[in-house]
Amino acid sequence: MSTRDLVLTALFTAIIIVLGIIPPITLAFVPVPITAQSMGVMLAGCIIGAKRGALAYLLLILMVAVGLPVLSGGRGGLAVLAGPTGGYIAGWVVGTFVTGLVAERIVRETQGGARQIAGFFLASIIGGIGVVYLMGTIWLAINTGMGFVAALSANAVFLPGDILKAGIAALAARAVLVGYPLLPQRS
Amino acid sequence: MLKSLHVEGTTLLHRLSVRTKLAVLFAASLAVFLTVDPFVLGGAVLLSALVFATVGVSFSQAVSRLAWPLVSIGLVAGATAFFETPVHGLVVLFRFATLILLAATVTASTEVGDFMEEITRLMMPFERLGLVNAADIGLALGLVLRFVPEIATRYESLREAHAARGLPVRPLKMLAPLIILTLKDADMIAMAIDARGLRRH
């Protein structure tokens, strides 16, 4: 791993932490404010790619584990990882990796803006919602003895908000791609 | 800005090695799944609450640390009680309450530095396999701690710049500039690290 990759990874972890400190985003047409940190998985995958993005999340989880309050609302410590929602936290790492993998394959710097935004949106939906929900739900179902389908249906409450976040993340990722492209490209 | 959740003290738990504490926590996470008796698990919750009380976390600190995890297990236990049986919900509630209390105990009684040392030691076998450079983890962590306050300041100046031009301050508009400005520093920082020879291979 090059020093530049290491630095990009650490800087993105720092950005994710700051997104948890700044005031939540309020949109005119949505009643609940959106915590910017919850878009981190989508942003990391779409902006710095699969490998560095997943490492940025591993670093974040390491910081949670050693007792630093790096999650939004000053949450942190092993208690956060030990809860029934631990599967979602593991899902952040895999979800970022998958988001990055999809984005690296379908988004090109030569494409038009609309196609790039659509590509990032798709990558965010697959990795940031699909993978994260899947891993979180499997863990939840195993630990509670609840049926998989019942546990999965509990996610439905968060789906509209998360689709909206995928849209915001796609717009931001496209703006970064124009201003300072970092996403590795695979054929 | 990033104040550790460690609580100063000299209790028995503070003196135990990080490895022992993590091993006990891991063993407990397996043990709570060995029984489905709500009374046994209820006893485990009481016991771990007593252990947590010995590390010297003040009541208000304890509330702010445990509130969120407890709300989340409350919701999960409620859903389990609804989809399965109420006893089942109670079992889930007690299991996770035990683990959360023990985990919070380890966090409160362990210093970040000691934790990092233990993690670096745990990574050594992987380093020998060539999978990871254990020293890189400490370096990366140091970089994060160094840059969080700076990025937060940068966000503030972006916000002020918007306000000064009479533009509505919308966090959404600031996301991309904040990320670009921060990541643009990566080359300079990487060069500085290499110039100082901070990474040996």
Side-chain angles (χ1 to χ4, degrees):
Chain A
M1 191 186 196
S2 74
T3 307
R4 184 172 184 263
D5 285 343
L6 180 92
V7 172
L8 281 173
T9 302
L11 285 179
F12 216 93
T13 307
I15 290 172
I16 298 167
I17 295 170
V18 173
L19 292 183
I21 302 172
I22 62 176
I25 300 169
T26 37
L27 296 170
F29 51 95
V30 189
V32 194
I34 295 171
T35 317
Q37 195 176 59
S38 57
M39 295 186 297
V41 169
M42 302 164 179
L43 290 172
C46 289
I47 292 172
I48 53 173
K51 194 182 161 202
R52 295 178 297 204
L55 285 173
Y57 261 94
L58 275 179
L59 191 57
L60 185 77
I61 293 170
L62 177 83
M63 294 181 78
V64 172
V66 299
L68 292 165
V70 291
L71 299 181
S72 57
R75 289 175 296 130
L78 286 168
V80 178
L81 306 181
T85 47
Y88 291 95
I89 295 179
W92 291 346
V93 179
V94 185
T96 308
F97 192 81
V98 173
T99 305
L101 217 54
V102 176
E104 285 169 16
R105 276 170 202 282
I106 61 175
V107 178
R108 291 276 164 277
E109 275 170 50
T110 48
Q111 286 167 343
R115 273 202 66 182
Q116 288 173 337
I117 293 170
F120 283 136
F121 183 67
L122 185 69
S124 299
I125 297 272
I126 295 173
I129 299 179
V131 174
V132 175
Y133 280 23
L134 185 70
M135 290 194 57
T137 307
I138 290 173
W139 181 251
L140 198 63
I142 291 173
N143 278 283
T144 60
M146 225 192 289
F148 181 74
V149 178
L152 193 63
S153 65
N155 284 308
V157 194
F158 302 103
L159 194 59
D162 282 341
I163 290 174
L164 191 68
K165 284 174 198 165
I168 300 173
L171 290 173
R174 199 263 161 174
V176 176
L177 187 73
V178 172
Y180 191 58
L182 288 163
L183 188 73
Q185 313 213 327
R186 302 170 192 236
S187 51
Chain B
M1 174 159 271
L2 286 178
K3 208 172 165 302
S4 150
L5 297 169
H6 168 69
V7 177
E8 293 283 334
T10 50
T11 64
L12 174 67
L13 281 156
H14 281 86
R15 280 175 280 132
L16 276 178
S17 78
V18 186
R19 186 172 299 192
T20 316
K21 282 184 272 193
L22 287 178
V24 170
L25 181 61
F26 183 67
S29 71
L30 298 177
V32 290
F33 285 93
L34 294 177
T35 176
V36 287
D37 186 339
F39 292 102
V40 175
L41 288 167
V45 176
L46 280 180
L47 194 68
S48 39
L50 281 174
V51 174
F52 180 64
T54 66
V55 290
V57 179
S58 72
F59 187 74
S60 60
Q61 270 179 328
V63 170
S64 75
R65 281 173 193 208
L66 295 173
W68 176 259
L70 289 179
V71 166
S72 78
I73 58 170
L75 288 175
V76 170
T80 313
F82 177 75
F83 285 114
E84 307 290 327
T85 63
V87 178
H88 213 113
L90 205 59
V91 167
V92 167
L93 181 69
F94 285 166
R95 265 181 193 158
F96 283 115
T98 306
L99 289 182
I100 282 170
L101 284 163
L102 289 179
T105 309
V106 176
T107 298
S109 65
T110 312
E111 273 191 67
V112 172
D114 296 340
F115 234 127
M116 281 310 298
E117 250 173 57
E118 186 59 37
I119 285 167
T120 311
R121 229 172 289 145
L122 286 172
M123 286 296 151
M124 281 304 174
F126 296 100
E127 177 165 293
R128 262 171 242 129
L129 290 173
L131 289 174
V132 67
N133 184 346
D136 275 357
I137 301 172
L139 178 62
L141 189 82
L143 280 173
V144 178
L145 293 174
R146 157 80 176 73
F147 282 100
V148 164
E150 194 158 313
I151 299 170
T153 312
R154 195 168 281 158
Y155 176 82
E156 270 312 301
S157 33
L158 274 171
R159 207 182 58 77
E160 279 165 14
H162 271 69
R165 293 188 211 116
L167 298 170
V169 177
R170 274 193 301 235
L172 195 56
K173 287 249 179 233
M174 280 182 263
L175 212 49
L178 183 71
I179 293 171
I180 294 174
L181 281 174
T182 304
L183 297 183
K184 267 190 169 162
D185 286 345
D187 289 311
M188 290 274 279
I189 300 164
M191 265 191 275
I193 289 171
D194 285 335
R196 286 173 176 80
L198 292 177
R199 292 178 87 208
R200 284 176 296 266
H201 290 289

Short mmCIF file of all heavy atoms in Angstrom, two decimals, chain B residues 50-88:
data_model
loop_
_atom_site.label_atom_id
_atom_site.label_comp_id
_atom_site.label_asym_id
_atom_site.label_seq_id
_atom_site.Cartn_x
_atom_site.Cartn_y
_atom_site.Cartn_z
N LEU B 50 -23.22 -4.46 38.34
CA LEU B 50 -22.38 -4.24 39.53
C LEU B 50 -20.93 -4.02 39.13
O LEU B 50 -20.26 -3.13 39.64
CB LEU B 50 -22.50 -5.44 40.47
CG LEU B 50 -23.76 -5.49 41.33
CD1 LEU B 50 -23.84 -6.79 42.11
CD2 LEU B 50 -23.80 -4.28 42.27
N VAL B 51 -20.44 -4.86 38.19
CA VAL B 51 -19.05 -4.72 37.73
C VAL B 51 -18.86 -3.34 37.11
O VAL B 51 -17.88 -2.64 37.39
CB VAL B 51 -18.71 -5.83 36.71
CG1 VAL B 51 -17.32 -5.60 36.12
CG2 VAL B 51 -18.77 -7.20 37.37
N PHE B 52 -19.82 -2.93 36.28
CA PHE B 52 -19.73 -1.62 35.62
C PHE B 52 -19.68 -0.50 36.66
O PHE B 52 -18.95 0.48 36.51
CB PHE B 52 -20.92 -1.44 34.68
CG PHE B 52 -20.93 -0.13 33.94
CD1 PHE B 52 -19.92 0.17 33.04
CD2 PHE B 52 -21.94 0.81 34.14
CE1 PHE B 52 -19.91 1.37 32.35
CE2 PHE B 52 -21.93 2.01 33.46
CZ PHE B 52 -20.92 2.29 32.57
N ALA B 53 -20.46 -0.67 37.75
CA ALA B 53 -20.52 0.36 38.79
C ALA B 53 -19.18 0.54 39.51
O ALA B 53 -18.91 1.60 40.06
CB ALA B 53 -21.62 0.03 39.80
N THR B 54 -18.32 -0.51 39.47
CA THR B 54 -17.05 -0.41 40.21
C THR B 54 -15.98 0.41 39.49
O THR B 54 -14.99 0.78 40.11
CB THR B 54 -16.45 -1.81 40.49
OG1 THR B 54 -16.09 -2.39 39.24
CG2 THR B 54 -17.40 -2.70 41.24
N VAL B 55 -16.13 0.69 38.18
CA VAL B 55 -15.03 1.36 37.48
C VAL B 55 -15.04 2.88 37.62
O VAL B 55 -14.16 3.56 37.12
CB VAL B 55 -14.97 1.01 35.97
CG1 VAL B 55 -14.53 -0.41 35.78
CG2 VAL B 55 -16.27 1.32 35.29
N GLY B 56 -16.05 3.41 38.32
CA GLY B 56 -16.03 4.84 38.64
C GLY B 56 -16.59 5.75 37.56
O GLY B 56 -16.19 6.91 37.45
N VAL B 57 -17.53 5.25 36.75
CA VAL B 57 -18.21 6.11 35.78
C VAL B 57 -19.34 6.82 36.53
O VAL B 57 -20.11 6.17 37.24
CB VAL B 57 -18.81 5.27 34.63
CG1 VAL B 57 -19.52 6.16 33.64
CG2 VAL B 57 -17.72 4.48 33.94
N SER B 58 -19.41 8.16 36.41
CA SER B 58 -20.46 8.87 37.13
C SER B 58 -21.83 8.54 36.52
O SER B 58 -21.92 8.07 35.38
CB SER B 58 -20.24 10.38 37.06
OG SER B 58 -20.51 10.83 35.76
N PHE B 59 -22.89 8.80 37.29
CA PHE B 59 -24.22 8.40 36.83
C PHE B 59 -24.59 9.05 35.49
O PHE B 59 -25.06 8.40 34.58
CB PHE B 59 -25.27 8.73 37.89
CG PHE B 59 -26.63 8.19 37.56
CD1 PHE B 59 -26.90 6.84 37.66
CD2 PHE B 59 -27.63 9.04 37.10
CE1 PHE B 59 -28.14 6.33 37.32
CE2 PHE B 59 -28.88 8.54 36.76
CZ PHE B 59 -29.13 7.19 36.88
N SER B 60 -24.32 10.38 35.38
CA SER B 60 -24.71 11.07 34.15
C SER B 60 -23.89 10.56 32.95
O SER B 60 -24.41 10.42 31.84
CB SER B 60 -24.53 12.58 34.30
OG SER B 60 -23.18 12.88 34.58
N GLN B 61 -22.61 10.23 33.20
CA GLN B 61 -21.79 9.65 32.12
C GLN B 61 -22.36 8.31 31.70
O GLN B 61 -22.45 8.00 30.52
CB GLN B 61 -20.36 9.43 32.62
CG GLN B 61 -19.44 10.60 32.43
CD GLN B 61 -18.05 10.27 32.98
OE1 GLN B 61 -17.93 9.53 33.96
NE2 GLN B 61 -17.04 10.81 32.36
N ALA B 62 -22.72 7.51 32.71
CA ALA B 62 -23.25 6.18 32.44
C ALA B 62 -24.51 6.28 31.58
O ALA B 62 -24.69 5.53 30.62
CB ALA B 62 -23.54 5.45 33.74
N VAL B 63 -25.37 7.26 31.91
CA VAL B 63 -26.61 7.41 31.15
C VAL B 63 -26.29 7.76 29.70
O VAL B 63 -26.80 7.16 28.76
CB VAL B 63 -27.52 8.51 31.78
CG1 VAL B 63 -28.67 8.84 30.86
CG2 VAL B 63 -28.03 8.03 33.14
N SER B 64 -25.36 8.74 29.49
CA SER B 64 -25.10 9.15 28.12
C SER B 64 -24.40 8.05 27.33
O SER B 64 -24.57 7.93 26.12
CB SER B 64 -24.29 10.45 28.09
OG SER B 64 -22.95 10.18 28.42
N ARG B 65 -23.61 7.21 27.99
CA ARG B 65 -22.92 6.13 27.27
C ARG B 65 -23.83 4.98 26.93
O ARG B 65 -23.68 4.32 25.91
CB ARG B 65 -21.80 5.57 28.13
CG ARG B 65 -20.60 6.46 28.08
CD ARG B 65 -19.58 5.97 29.06
NE ARG B 65 -18.59 7.00 29.20
CZ ARG B 65 -17.34 6.78 29.54
NH1 ARG B 65 -16.95 5.55 29.79
NH2 ARG B 65 -16.50 7.77 29.62
N LEU B 66 -24.75 4.67 27.85
CA LEU B 66 -25.55 3.45 27.69
C LEU B 66 -26.91 3.72 27.04
O LEU B 66 -27.55 2.79 26.56
CB LEU B 66 -25.75 2.78 29.05
CG LEU B 66 -24.46 2.25 29.70
CD1 LEU B 66 -24.74 1.75 31.11
CD2 LEU B 66 -23.85 1.13 28.87
N ALA B 67 -27.35 4.99 27.02
CA ALA B 67 -28.71 5.27 26.55
C ALA B 67 -28.94 4.73 25.15
O ALA B 67 -29.89 3.98 24.91
CB ALA B 67 -28.97 6.77 26.59
N TRP B 68 -28.03 5.07 24.22
CA TRP B 68 -28.26 4.68 22.83
C TRP B 68 -28.24 3.16 22.64
O TRP B 68 -29.18 2.59 22.05
CB TRP B 68 -27.26 5.38 21.91
CG TRP B 68 -27.39 4.93 20.52
CD1 TRP B 68 -26.60 4.03 19.87
CD2 TRP B 68 -28.42 5.30 19.59
NE1 TRP B 68 -27.06 3.83 18.61
CE2 TRP B 68 -28.17 4.57 18.41
CE3 TRP B 68 -29.53 6.15 19.67
CZ2 TRP B 68 -28.99 4.70 17.29
CZ3 TRP B 68 -30.33 6.27 18.56
CH2 TRP B 68 -30.07 5.56 17.39
N PRO B 69 -27.19 2.46 23.14
CA PRO B 69 -27.21 1.00 23.00
C PRO B 69 -28.44 0.37 23.65
O PRO B 69 -29.03 -0.57 23.09
CB PRO B 69 -25.94 0.54 23.73
CG PRO B 69 -25.05 1.72 23.74
CD PRO B 69 -25.94 2.92 23.76
N LEU B 70 -28.88 0.91 24.80
CA LEU B 70 -30.02 0.31 25.47
C LEU B 70 -31.31 0.54 24.69
O LEU B 70 -32.17 -0.33 24.63
CB LEU B 70 -30.15 0.84 26.91
CG LEU B 70 -29.07 0.33 27.88
CD1 LEU B 70 -29.25 0.92 29.26
CD2 LEU B 70 -29.07 -1.19 27.96
N VAL B 71 -31.45 1.74 24.08
CA VAL B 71 -32.64 1.98 23.25
C VAL B 71 -32.65 1.00 22.08
O VAL B 71 -33.68 0.40 21.76
CB VAL B 71 -32.66 3.45 22.74
CG1 VAL B 71 -33.68 3.61 21.63
CG2 VAL B 71 -32.97 4.40 23.89
N SER B 72 -31.48 0.79 21.46
CA SER B 72 -31.46 -0.10 20.30
C SER B 72 -31.78 -1.54 20.70
O SER B 72 -32.53 -2.22 20.01
CB SER B 72 -30.13 0.00 19.55
OG SER B 72 -29.12 -0.72 20.21
N ILE B 73 -31.27 -2.01 21.85
CA ILE B 73 -31.65 -3.38 22.22
C ILE B 73 -33.10 -3.44 22.67
O ILE B 73 -33.77 -4.44 22.47
CB ILE B 73 -30.73 -4.03 23.30
CG1 ILE B 73 -30.69 -3.24 24.59
CG2 ILE B 73 -29.34 -4.31 22.78
CD1 ILE B 73 -30.00 -4.01 25.70
N GLY B 74 -33.60 -2.35 23.23
CA GLY B 74 -35.01 -2.30 23.61
C GLY B 74 -35.90 -2.51 22.39
O GLY B 74 -36.86 -3.29 22.41
N LEU B 75 -35.55 -1.81 21.30
CA LEU B 75 -36.32 -1.94 20.05
C LEU B 75 -36.25 -3.35 19.51
O LEU B 75 -37.27 -3.94 19.11
CB LEU B 75 -35.80 -0.95 19.00
CG LEU B 75 -36.11 0.52 19.25
CD1 LEU B 75 -35.42 1.39 18.20
CD2 LEU B 75 -37.61 0.76 19.21
N VAL B 76 -35.02 -3.90 19.50
CA VAL B 76 -34.85 -5.26 18.96
C VAL B 76 -35.60 -6.28 19.82
O VAL B 76 -36.28 -7.16 19.30
CB VAL B 76 -33.34 -5.61 18.88
CG1 VAL B 76 -33.16 -7.08 18.58
CG2 VAL B 76 -32.66 -4.76 17.84
N ALA B 77 -35.51 -6.11 21.15
CA ALA B 77 -36.20 -7.03 22.04
C ALA B 77 -37.71 -6.92 21.84
O ALA B 77 -38.44 -7.92 21.82
CB ALA B 77 -35.83 -6.74 23.49
N GLY B 78 -38.19 -5.67 21.65
CA GLY B 78 -39.61 -5.46 21.40
C GLY B 78 -40.06 -6.17 20.14
O GLY B 78 -41.10 -6.85 20.12
N ALA B 79 -39.26 -6.05 19.08
CA ALA B 79 -39.59 -6.71 17.81
C ALA B 79 -39.58 -8.22 17.97
O ALA B 79 -40.46 -8.92 17.44
CB ALA B 79 -38.59 -6.28 16.73
N THR B 80 -38.60 -8.74 18.74
CA THR B 80 -38.53 -10.19 18.96
C THR B 80 -39.76 -10.66 19.73
O THR B 80 -40.37 -11.68 19.41
CB THR B 80 -37.26 -10.56 19.76
OG1 THR B 80 -36.16 -9.89 19.17
CG2 THR B 80 -37.02 -12.06 19.72
N ALA B 81 -40.14 -9.89 20.77
CA ALA B 81 -41.31 -10.25 21.56
C ALA B 81 -42.56 -10.27 20.68
O ALA B 81 -43.44 -11.11 20.84
CB ALA B 81 -41.49 -9.26 22.70
N PHE B 82 -42.61 -9.35 19.71
CA PHE B 82 -43.77 -9.25 18.83
C PHE B 82 -43.82 -10.40 17.83
O PHE B 82 -44.84 -11.05 17.65
CB PHE B 82 -43.72 -7.90 18.10
CG PHE B 82 -44.83 -7.71 17.10
CD1 PHE B 82 -46.12 -7.42 17.53
CD2 PHE B 82 -44.58 -7.82 15.74
CE1 PHE B 82 -47.15 -7.25 16.62
CE2 PHE B 82 -45.60 -7.65 14.82
CZ PHE B 82 -46.89 -7.37 15.25
N PHE B 83 -42.65 -10.70 17.21
CA PHE B 83 -42.63 -11.73 16.17
C PHE B 83 -42.55 -13.14 16.76
O PHE B 83 -43.04 -14.10 16.16
CB PHE B 83 -41.44 -11.52 15.22
CG PHE B 83 -41.65 -10.38 14.27
CD1 PHE B 83 -40.86 -9.24 14.32
CD2 PHE B 83 -42.64 -10.44 13.30
CE1 PHE B 83 -41.04 -8.18 13.44
CE2 PHE B 83 -42.84 -9.39 12.41
CZ PHE B 83 -42.04 -8.26 12.49
N GLU B 84 -41.87 -13.28 17.91
CA GLU B 84 -41.73 -14.60 18.54
C GLU B 84 -42.62 -14.65 19.79
O GLU B 84 -43.82 -14.51 19.67
CB GLU B 84 -40.26 -14.87 18.90
CG GLU B 84 -39.30 -14.69 17.72
CD GLU B 84 -39.44 -15.78 16.65
OE1 GLU B 84 -39.75 -16.92 17.03
OE2 GLU B 84 -39.25 -15.48 15.46
N THR B 85 -42.01 -14.83 20.98
CA THR B 85 -42.79 -14.82 22.22
C THR B 85 -42.21 -13.76 23.16
O THR B 85 -41.04 -13.40 23.04
CB THR B 85 -42.70 -16.18 22.94
OG1 THR B 85 -41.33 -16.40 23.30
CG2 THR B 85 -43.16 -17.32 22.06
N PRO B 86 -43.03 -13.24 24.11
CA PRO B 86 -42.52 -12.23 25.06
C PRO B 86 -41.30 -12.74 25.84
O PRO B 86 -40.36 -11.97 26.08
CB PRO B 86 -43.70 -12.00 26.00
CG PRO B 86 -44.90 -12.35 25.19
CD PRO B 86 -44.47 -13.47 24.29
N VAL B 87 -41.28 -14.03 26.23
CA VAL B 87 -40.14 -14.57 26.98
C VAL B 87 -38.87 -14.47 26.13
O VAL B 87 -37.80 -14.08 26.60
CB VAL B 87 -40.39 -16.04 27.40
CG1 VAL B 87 -39.18 -16.59 28.15
CG2 VAL B 87 -41.63 -16.14 28.26
N HIS B 88 -39.03 -14.81 24.87
CA HIS B 88 -37.93 -14.72 23.92
C HIS B 88 -37.37 -13.29 23.87
O HIS B 88 -36.16 -13.08 23.87
CB HIS B 88 -38.45 -15.11 22.54
CG HIS B 88 -37.42 -15.80 21.72
ND1 HIS B 88 -37.52 -17.12 21.36
CD2 HIS B 88 -36.27 -15.35 21.20
CE1 HIS B 88 -36.46 -17.45 20.66
NE2 HIS B 88 -35.69 -16.40 20.53
#
